[in-house]
Amino acid sequence: MTNSKQPNALIHETSPYLLQHAYNPVRWMAWNEQSLQIARQSKKPILVSIGYSACHWCHVMEHESFEDHEVAEIMNENFICIKVDREERPDIDHVFMNAAQLITGRGGWPLNCFAFPDGRPFYAGTYFPKQNWIRLLQTILKEYRENNEKLEQYAQNLERGIKETNRIEGKLGFEASESNMKQVVENAVNNWRNSFDKVHGGHQGAPKFPMPNSLLFLAMYSYISKQNDIEEHVNITLQKMARGGLYDQIGGGFARYSVDALWKIPHFEKMLYDNGQLLELYAEWYKSVKSIEYHKVIFQTVDFLKEELTDDKGAFLSALDADSEGEEGKYYVWKKDEFGQVVSENTGVLQEYFGINERGYWEENKYVLMRDSDSMILKKFMLSENDLHQIVESAIKKLINHRNKKIKPSLDDKVLTGWNALTISGLCKCYEATNNSEYLKMATNAAHFMANIQQKADGGLWRNYKAEKSTIDAFLEDYALLAKAFLDLFETTANLIWVEKARNLVSFCIQHFYNAESGFFNFTRRGKNELVADTVEVFDSVIPSSNAIMCHNLIRLGRLYGNTRYLEMADSMLEKMAPRIAQYPAGYSQWMINILWQHYPSFEVVVVGENAFKMIQQLKQNYLPNCLFAASLKGEGLPIFEHRFVSQKTLFYVCQNNVCQAPVETIAEVLHLVKA
């Protein structure tokens, strides 16, 4: 029997998730050429187990099965066992998740897959309790030994299915005319409306996930189309999320999702990619409605990132676990007596404010902090807004001080390029919305880390960074999101270095990821894929698809540089994707944002002159989601600035469809032109 005190091969990895399993009695290996070579030589089936460090059910299965010696003996004797951190290796996760969905119709994590020694999957599932897992291992082993030909047929069928899901073809007869593309969006939104939860926001039912990109699309669409019901849906969703248990009411930051339809009980892990995107969403909506409540969400969430998920080099770390001391949510929930003792004063007001009552009750005398509207509290307790503010802020300090004495959830301290890019973009929008220079400093520090540490000499990127080293080549997601972040930094700061870096990343992707035959970008760099199929990611999940973001980058760069090839590539992608959108509009929200840019009114707003930087910042405090901004002191560095400098003047040029209005000199005039 294996000595559990002896580490397995994962001890040499840097991923926190893999290191969590380094002392399992299972002889785990990482996914690499050496492990695959061992599998080929042994002729044993591969067991690929995929998860991530903040995954609650991953922890449960580890404790029940992977730490169990009886289970480990079966696995070690009969399988080559490979552990994968899905956050470091989304390429592997994509392929095996496709397999799971084709086999079972569903997916999730932990994801447990069985494959031939050459890596071709033949069975996949998710979480299994210990006895079920043992029975599955025995069944798989029996089939592998006695019915290998049948499994071979399964593997062939799965391989064909996986390749088919990654084939993108246009619809015969569909033309990407303006009217057709608008009709695609109108139909999608009309279908989407049917799933809106009109009381609590988001989609109907449970669980509820914050889907920032979907809400960014709906916000932009409501702005352009002037459809008030869509605007109201966005506002009520943001409001309910910010007031629910999904949001950390005292420490800032959002949990992964809520298990109910009320945004009340979260799955307590906090992920960087959620919070980076939600910063962008709340900042953009704050520009629109100027709500103090949303300003507070921005401030608290940035503070959470600064305190909990920022390393000493300015990069952002990946996640905080859901569990602490072996219990989900223990760090975040409160018992009534504990809460009362900590706040000590104004207990009745604060219990009502934070939901230490029937509204916030979870289970076993535990409460999740959640808020109601301030107006109800003010009316019930006859308080002024200033009095309530002082009571709440004093209580928050006491509650945080008390909570900080608890054992914190574990930190996944790896740096991922794409997730950092999402956060850079979010912080840029926070700076624009609030004019808080600290937000821009955080964004710029992280961007310099990406450019100096994560970029290679050949122009390529690393995916990960931990323990002073980067070890995994980046995927299209990283390139696309970082190019977008650099473009956002350029629009925010007017520093040409960032637009040049964005263009270089897109050029690199065209050279190394682009498939001219399909007109899309592969997820993995050409020549680097060791899996059964090239993934072509077009479906938006919580993070928008890498091809949709790359299409967005091509549109912005095409306009800034006057590059017609970029614009033609983007239009070709949109033409092929448009017929798919009606299948599931929420899964193609970034594609619809791209359609809004290309087929609805959108503008380039260029400001040139000695006050250009100051004026563009003032202008960008307004919600103008269909405007591309560029500023220059002397009209140098980009084709979009040519012939636009006039000495001793600061002029705005508003252009649409390659036609420019006469230059104007005031923000009020610009707002009139772009809102007309």
Side-chain angles (χ1 to χ4, degrees):
M1 187 172 288
T2 309
N3 183 350
S4 63
K5 293 184 179 180
Q6 294 299 314
N8 54 48
L10 298 183
I11 197 67
H12 303 297
E13 300 299 313
T14 59
S15 157
Y17 176 67
L18 298 186
L19 290 170
Q20 285 174 3
H21 293 266
Y23 284 89
N24 291 168
V26 177
R27 288 198 291 270
W28 294 115
M29 293 180 279
W31 182 286
N32 52 44
E33 181 52 40
Q34 181 182 2
S35 301
L36 298 177
Q37 182 63 28
I38 291 171
R40 288 189 288 267
Q41 291 172 350
S42 72
K43 298 183 179 179
K44 292 180 181 179
I46 299 174
L47 192 169
V48 183
S49 183
I50 304 173
Y52 58 101
S53 69
C55 168
H56 172 71
W57 288 102
C58 298
H59 299 329
V60 172
M61 191 163 180
E62 178 189 19
H63 178 67
E64 291 178 345
S65 295
F66 303 148
E67 292 177 349
D68 184 274
H69 289 277
E70 176 190 5
V71 176
E73 275 197 287
I74 299 171
M75 292 172 65
N76 293 338
E77 181 67 25
N78 300 292
F79 300 90
I80 301 300
C81 302
I82 295 179
K83 256 289 169 196
V84 174
D85 181 342
R86 67 172 294 263
E87 297 170 350
E88 283 194 340
R89 295 299 305 265
D91 57 330
I92 300 170
D93 185 54
H94 281 322
V95 168
F96 286 105
M97 185 61 74
N98 268 344
Q101 290 169 338
L102 288 168
I103 293 166
T104 68
R106 61 188 180 87
W109 299 276
L111 179 61
N112 293 289
C113 308
F114 297 87
F116 282 102
D118 60 6
R120 290 175 300 136
F122 59 81
Y123 186 78
T126 53
Y127 164 77
F128 296 90
K130 175 184 172 181
Q131 293 306 319
N132 293 14
W133 180 242
I134 289 174
R135 282 195 293 272
L136 178 63
L137 293 173
Q138 292 168 339
T139 300
I140 293 290
L141 189 61
K142 185 174 186 293
E143 291 294 308
Y144 187 79
R145 290 171 175 171
E146 299 177 8
N147 293 303
N148 198 271
E149 289 185 6
K150 184 173 75 172
L151 293 186
E152 177 68 36
Q153 188 62 49
Y154 285 168
Q156 290 177 13
N157 292 339
L158 267 179
E159 184 175 355
R160 281 195 295 271
I162 292 168
K163 288 178 178 177
E164 186 63 30
T165 62
N166 288 288
R167 183 178 293 118
I168 311 297
E169 295 177 346
K171 182 180 179 182
L172 191 64
F174 180 84
E175 293 183 5
S177 65
E178 182 174 298
S179 61
N180 283 348
M181 297 299 267
K182 285 185 174 180
Q183 194 62 54
V184 164
V185 173
E186 308 303 320
N187 291 343
V189 172
N190 287 335
N191 291 338
W192 202 346
R193 275 188 174 95
N194 297 326
S195 69
F196 288 175
D197 183 333
K198 293 181 173 58
V199 177
H200 302 290
H203 63 81
Q204 295 171 9
K208 265 188 163 66
F209 287 81
M211 300 296 286
N213 204 252
S214 292
L215 291 163
L216 280 169
F217 162 72
L218 291 171
M220 184 176 178
Y221 177 77
S222 72
Y223 172 85
I224 292 172
S225 68
K226 306 293 189 286
Q227 296 197 23
N228 293 335
D229 66 316
I230 303 295
E231 179 181 348
E232 177 61 22
H233 175 72
V234 174
N235 198 56
I236 196 170
T237 301
L238 268 63
Q239 185 183 88
K240 294 292 187 178
M241 288 197 305
R243 294 179 181 178
L246 182 83
Y247 182 68
D248 184 346
Q249 300 296 338
I250 63 172
F254 290 84
R256 181 70 196 86
Y257 63 93
S258 73
V259 300
D260 53 68
L262 309 178
W263 306 107
K264 176 179 176 179
I265 306 302
H267 208 7
F268 290 89
E269 67 264 39
K270 289 181 177 180
M271 313 299 296
L272 179 65
Y273 59 80
D274 285 317
N275 284 282
Q277 291 181 92
L278 286 164
L279 279 176
E280 178 170 358
L281 174 62
Y282 275 91
E284 287 288 83
W285 201 243
Y286 174 72
K287 292 180 185 180
S288 177
V289 301
K290 303 299 187 212
S291 164
I292 294 173
E293 182 175 14
Y294 298 152
H295 188 282
K296 185 175 181 180
V297 168
I298 293 167
F299 174 80
Q300 285 186 319
T301 301
V302 174
D303 202 48
F304 155 69
L305 289 178
K306 183 174 64 176
E307 295 298 322
E308 303 289 351
L309 293 184
T310 305
D311 75 0
D312 57 4
K313 292 183 173 63
F316 299 107
L317 309 174
S318 292
L320 283 175
D321 205 330
D323 299 4
S324 57
E325 301 180 73
E327 184 178 322
E328 184 182 7
K330 185 172 184 179
Y331 184 71
Y332 299 102
V333 299
W334 297 82
K335 295 192 174 180
K336 194 168 189 175
D337 291 346
E338 174 193 21
F339 180 89
Q341 290 169 6
V342 172
V343 300
S344 68
E345 298 176 321
N346 300 298
T347 306
V349 174
L350 292 165
Q351 286 179 341
E352 188 72 23
Y353 183 88
F354 284 114
I356 306 296
N357 50 30
E358 184 179 344
R359 184 164 50 87
Y361 183 76
W362 179 22
E363 62 183 13
E364 299 174 355
N365 195 30
K366 292 181 291 192
Y367 295 81
V368 175
L369 301 188
M370 54 190 301
R371 293 184 294 110
D372 209 333
S373 67
D374 285 4
S375 60
M376 294 185 67
I377 306 294
L378 297 175
K379 183 177 180 181
K380 182 172 182 177
F381 293 94
M382 301 180 65
L383 294 168
S384 69
E385 288 187 15
N386 186 58
D387 286 343
L388 179 61
H389 174 77
Q390 290 184 1
I391 290 169
V392 169
E393 291 305 308
S394 174
I396 284 176
K397 291 177 183 177
K398 294 175 182 177
L399 292 166
I400 287 178
N401 287 337
H402 180 78
R403 192 170 76 175
N404 284 341
K405 297 172 185 176
K406 297 183 182 181
I407 296 175
K408 287 189 175 184
S410 61
L411 172 68
D412 186 323
D413 60 349
K414 66 178 179 289
V415 172
L416 294 176
T417 296
W419 297 11
N420 270 254
L422 290 168
T423 310
I424 292 166
S425 292
L427 288 165
C428 285
K429 298 301 180 184
C430 291
Y431 167 69
E432 293 172 4
T434 67
N435 206 29
N436 187 325
S437 60
E438 183 179 16
Y439 303 163
L440 183 58
K441 181 180 179 182
M442 290 171 68
T444 305
N445 287 344
H448 281 300
F449 179 93
M450 294 296 116
N452 297 332
I453 304 296
Q454 292 299 84
Q455 192 150 21
K456 305 178 187 180
D458 69 352
L461 295 171
W462 294 107
R463 165 74 173 173
N464 67 326
Y465 175 89
K466 188 175 181 294
E468 303 291 327
K469 60 183 178 181
S470 305
T471 57
I472 298 170
D473 286 332
F475 303 100
L476 183 65
E477 173 184 289
D478 302 293
Y479 289 89
L481 292 173
L482 189 58
K484 177 186 179 296
F486 286 163
L487 283 170
D488 291 338
L489 260 178
F490 164 69
E491 287 199 46
T492 302
T493 65
N495 189 335
L496 287 169
I497 188 175
W498 300 119
V499 70
E500 292 165 1
K501 287 182 180 298
R503 184 178 62 166
N504 290 340
L505 288 176
V506 170
S507 296
F508 187 92
C509 288
I510 292 171
Q511 182 179 354
H512 296 288
F513 290 79
Y514 187 63
N515 183 331
E517 183 179 348
S518 71
F520 290 83
F521 295 82
N522 289 339
F523 193 74
T524 305
R525 181 174 173 175
R526 195 176 299 114
K528 297 284 188 177
N529 185 28
E530 70 258 343
L531 298 159
V532 298
D534 285 319
T535 294
V536 181
E537 187 188 47
V538 297
F539 187 81
D540 294 342
S541 184
V542 176
I543 296 176
S545 82
S546 48
N547 268 285
I549 292 293
M550 191 58 78
C551 179
H552 187 67
N553 294 335
L554 289 167
I555 292 169
R556 292 168 76 183
L557 287 168
R559 295 187 183 190
L560 289 168
Y561 283 95
N563 188 319
T564 56
R565 185 196 175 200
Y566 284 1
L567 294 171
E568 288 168 359
M569 289 170 69
D571 283 334
S572 174
M573 296 168 81
L574 286 175
E575 184 172 29
K576 291 176 180 175
M577 289 304 304
R580 288 175 166 234
I581 289 171
Q583 299 171 14
Y584 184 55
Y588 298 99
S589 52
Q590 181 61 49
W591 291 109
M592 288 195 284
I593 288 174
N594 297 338
I595 292 174
L596 294 182
W597 272 95
Q598 289 295 79
H599 295 282
Y600 285 71
S602 64
F603 305 89
E604 293 89 49
V605 180
V606 181
V607 55
V608 178
E610 61 183 10
N611 293 320
F613 296 169
K614 177 182 176 182
M615 298 294 278
I616 202 75
Q617 171 56 19
Q618 290 179 18
L619 180 60
K620 284 174 71 64
Q621 289 177 3
N622 296 278
Y623 181 57
L624 301 169
N626 57 341
C627 293
L628 176 69
F629 297 94
S632 173
L633 296 179
K634 295 187 177 180
E636 299 171 339
L638 283 175
I640 204 169
F641 294 135
E642 288 180 1
H643 311 302
R644 288 179 167 171
F645 175 70
V646 177
S647 179
Q648 297 184 337
K649 284 193 172 185
T650 298
L651 297 175
F652 292 94
Y653 299 82
V654 177
C655 306
Q656 182 182 13
N657 296 330
N658 299 313
V659 177
C660 297
Q661 303 290 327
V664 296
E665 297 187 48
T666 69
I667 288 175
E669 290 172 297
V670 175
L671 293 176
H672 175 73
L673 290 173
V674 300
K675 289 184 177 180

